[in-house]
Amino acid sequence: LKGLVLGIKDNDNSYYSSFLMAGMVHILGASGFNVALLAGYFKNLRNFLPGKLVSIFILLFIWFYTWFLGGEPPLLRASLMMSLGMLLVQFGFKSHSKTILFTSGLAILLIDLSLVKSLSFWFSILATLGLVIFRNRLILFNSSKTNLLSFFKDEFLTSFSAQILILPLAIFIFNEINWLSFISNSLLLFPVAWFTQVGFIFFIILSIFSRTILSWAIYPFLLIY
């Protein structure tokens, strides 16, 4: 939970090796996934506030979050992509995902060229590029029916799309293929989104009421969670 919400990495904990073996270690740290979830919180505000005001609020919040977690490459990539996409739409331009991704990646390297050696930077770029190129094409092969099997097929194809371009680099770096990751990510990423969203709320409440009796009232629920 601390990894998902606050990006706190602890490689020495007892469960790190289990997550690594299951191919799910990426959820122990904050990524573009978190930025998308945060933006999703505030999109519903468009029903009550002007669109421009909501867009400004979203951008301020995601950039504060990115700064607060130290500007990790995946967070920078996601925040830059979202900012560029929203600005292009605001000014009436067409937004192409591949162009926005390339521009964001280039901007990050211009800010800090040493990140060209960062695995998290390349994994983030390649995973996003895989989703942009392959996801919609692969989803066409899935049934249009909204049943449980179709849902898990969609999750698998999304996970597979994100990992297609990462796979060669992972093999080159780690000299192995973790086939389990395709299954584990397909089955477990959708509840992770829910855990992360609720986790944000828990941490906000605990940080505000950390020295009051309310924090003790919430604590048992946090343990269960």
Side-chain angles (χ1 to χ4, degrees), residues 1 8 37 44 53-54 66 83 86 141 143 145 155 178 180 218 224:
L1 184 60
I8 297 173
L37 289 177
N44 293 329
L53 187 61
V54 175
T66 301
S83 301
M86 291 173 72
F141 294 99
S143 169
K145 296 178 181 178
E155 289 292 314
N178 189 350
L180 184 59
I218 296 169
I224 296 166

Coordinates of all heavy atoms in Angstrom, one line a residue, residues 1 8 37 44 53-54 66 83 86 141 143 145 155 178 180 218 224:
L1 N 0.8 -1.2 0.0 CA 0.0 0.0 0.0 C 0.9 1.3 0.0 O 0.6 2.2 -0.7 CB -0.9 0.0 1.2 CG -1.9 1.1 1.3 CD1 -2.9 1.2 0.1 CD2 -2.7 1.0 2.6
I8 N 6.9 4.4 -1.8 CA 8.0 4.0 -0.9 C 8.5 2.6 -1.3 O 7.7 1.6 -1.3 CB 7.5 4.0 0.5 CG1 7.1 5.4 0.9 CG2 8.5 3.4 1.5 CD1 6.4 5.5 2.3
L37 N -5.2 7.2 -12.1 CA -6.2 7.1 -11.0 C -6.5 8.4 -10.4 O -7.7 8.7 -10.1 CB -5.8 6.0 -10.0 CG -5.7 4.6 -10.4 CD1 -5.2 3.7 -9.3 CD2 -7.1 4.1 -10.9
N44 N -15.1 13.6 -12.6 CA -16.5 13.7 -12.3 C -16.9 15.1 -11.9 O -18.1 15.5 -11.9 CB -17.0 12.7 -11.2 CG -16.9 11.3 -11.7 OD1 -17.0 11.0 -12.9 ND2 -16.6 10.3 -10.8
L53 N -11.6 24.8 -15.4 CA -11.2 24.8 -13.9 C -10.8 23.4 -13.4 O -9.8 23.2 -12.7 CB -12.3 25.4 -13.1 CG -12.1 25.6 -11.6 CD1 -10.9 26.6 -11.5 CD2 -13.3 26.1 -10.9
V54 N -11.6 22.4 -13.9 CA -11.3 21.0 -13.5 C -10.0 20.6 -14.1 O -9.2 19.9 -13.4 CB -12.4 20.1 -14.0 CG1 -12.1 18.6 -13.7 CG2 -13.7 20.4 -13.3
T66 N 3.6 14.2 -8.3 CA 4.8 13.8 -9.0 C 6.0 14.4 -8.3 O 7.0 13.7 -8.0 CB 4.8 14.2 -10.5 OG1 3.7 13.6 -11.1 CG2 6.1 13.8 -11.2
S83 N -0.6 16.2 -19.3 CA -0.5 17.7 -19.5 C -0.6 18.0 -21.0 O -1.4 18.9 -21.4 CB 0.7 18.2 -18.9 OG 0.8 17.9 -17.5
M86 N -4.1 17.2 -22.5 CA -5.1 18.1 -22.1 C -5.0 19.5 -22.7 O -6.0 20.1 -23.1 CB -5.2 18.2 -20.5 CG -5.6 16.9 -19.9 SD -5.5 17.0 -18.0 CE -6.8 18.1 -17.6
F141 N -10.2 -8.7 -31.3 CA -10.4 -10.2 -31.3 C -11.3 -10.7 -30.1 O -11.7 -11.8 -30.1 CB -9.1 -10.9 -31.3 CG -8.3 -10.6 -32.5 CD1 -7.2 -9.7 -32.6 CD2 -8.5 -11.3 -33.7 CE1 -6.5 -9.4 -33.7 CE2 -7.8 -11.1 -34.9 CZ -6.8 -10.2 -34.9
S143 N -14.6 -10.8 -27.6 CA -16.0 -10.8 -27.8 C -16.6 -9.4 -27.3 O -16.1 -8.8 -26.4 CB -16.7 -11.9 -27.0 OG -18.1 -11.8 -27.0
K145 N -19.5 -9.2 -26.0 CA -20.3 -9.5 -24.9 C -19.7 -9.1 -23.6 O -18.5 -9.2 -23.4 CB -20.6 -11.0 -24.8 CG -21.4 -11.5 -26.0 CD -21.7 -13.0 -25.9 CE -22.4 -13.5 -27.1 NZ -22.6 -15.0 -27.0
E155 N -8.6 -8.0 -19.9 CA -7.5 -7.8 -18.9 C -6.3 -8.4 -19.4 O -5.2 -7.8 -19.3 CB -7.9 -8.3 -17.5 CG -9.0 -7.5 -16.8 CD -8.5 -6.1 -16.4 OE1 -7.4 -6.0 -15.9 OE2 -9.3 -5.2 -16.7
N178 N 9.5 -14.4 -17.4 CA 8.5 -14.8 -16.3 C 7.1 -14.9 -16.9 O 6.4 -13.9 -17.0 CB 8.6 -13.7 -15.2 CG 7.8 -14.1 -14.0 OD1 7.1 -15.1 -14.0 ND2 7.9 -13.4 -12.9
L180 N 4.6 -16.3 -15.8 CA 3.6 -16.1 -14.8 C 3.0 -14.7 -14.7 O 1.9 -14.5 -14.4 CB 4.1 -16.5 -13.4 CG 3.1 -16.5 -12.2 CD1 2.0 -17.5 -12.5 CD2 3.8 -16.9 -10.9
I218 N -10.2 4.5 12.7 CA -9.9 4.1 11.4 C -8.9 2.9 11.3 O -9.0 2.0 10.5 CB -9.4 5.2 10.5 CG1 -10.5 6.3 10.4 CG2 -9.0 4.7 9.1 CD1 -10.0 7.6 9.7
I224 N -7.4 -4.4 8.4 CA -8.2 -5.4 7.6 C -7.9 -5.2 6.2 O -7.7 -6.1 5.4 CB -9.7 -5.3 8.0 CG1 -10.0 -5.6 9.4 CG2 -10.5 -6.1 7.0 CD1 -11.3 -5.3 9.9

